[in-house]
Amino acid sequence: QVQLVESGGGLVQAGGSLRLSCAASGSIFSINAMGWYRQAPGKQRELVAVIRSGGSTNYADSVKGRFTIYRDNGKNTVYLQMNSLKPEDTAVYYCNVQITSTARVAYDYWGQGTQVTVSS
């Protein structure tokens, strides 16, 4: 079994910063990719950022230059540093990991979500 624990959400004023973290634990053989998605009320879930096993990253156009995704391989933890936050960044942010289990089977897991609210 694999568990994801998210933290770091909260309320911040426009222009402020937050750092989200997501720690993976359990029967993990290797992590193929880790990423962050977000879902605002009444909108579809969208990809924010992803980092792959080789270190390559991708970002949504709306967050490029403001957000940075990085990971601590030793702790199986991925972070999302969010700077210059805007009200339109308000959403529930979900961690996503793609892993290979100890049984050598690929799985996709989601965190519980953490609320980020950016006030004007």
Side-chain angles (χ1 to χ4, degrees):
Q1 186 176 357
V2 174
Q3 299 84 36
L4 303 180
V5 179
E6 299 183 31
S7 63
L11 175 64
V12 66
Q13 291 186 331
S17 298
L18 287 172
R19 188 182 73 166
L20 307 182
S21 65
C22 175
S25 63
S27 301
I28 300 171
F29 180 78
S30 62
I31 296 178
N32 308 120
M34 306 183 81
W36 292 93
Y37 291 72
R38 67 186 181 187
Q39 188 166 23
K43 296 184 178 180
Q44 294 181 325
R45 189 174 300 184
E46 65 173 348
L47 175 69
V48 177
V50 61
I51 184 167
R52 298 176 176 86
S53 60
S56 64
T57 59
N58 290 99
Y59 296 91
D61 288 341
S62 59
V63 307
K64 287 180 180 177
R66 300 187 297 120
F67 291 9
T68 302
I69 187 170
Y70 61 101
R71 60 182 290 178
D72 183 334
N73 291 332
K75 299 174 66 175
N76 283 340
T77 300
V78 63
Y79 303 89
L80 185 68
Q81 179 66 48
M82 305 185 293
N83 298 326
S84 301
L85 283 162
K86 304 175 181 179
E88 50 263 45
D89 294 318
T90 296
V92 177
Y93 284 69
Y94 297 91
C95 177
N96 173 262
V97 298
Q98 297 177 355
I99 67 103
T100 297
S101 73
T102 54
R104 311 297 179 92
V105 179
Y107 291 103
D108 189 74
Y109 290 93
W110 292 89
Q112 80 279 7
T114 184
Q115 176 70 49
V116 171
T117 302
V118 184
S119 63
S120 301

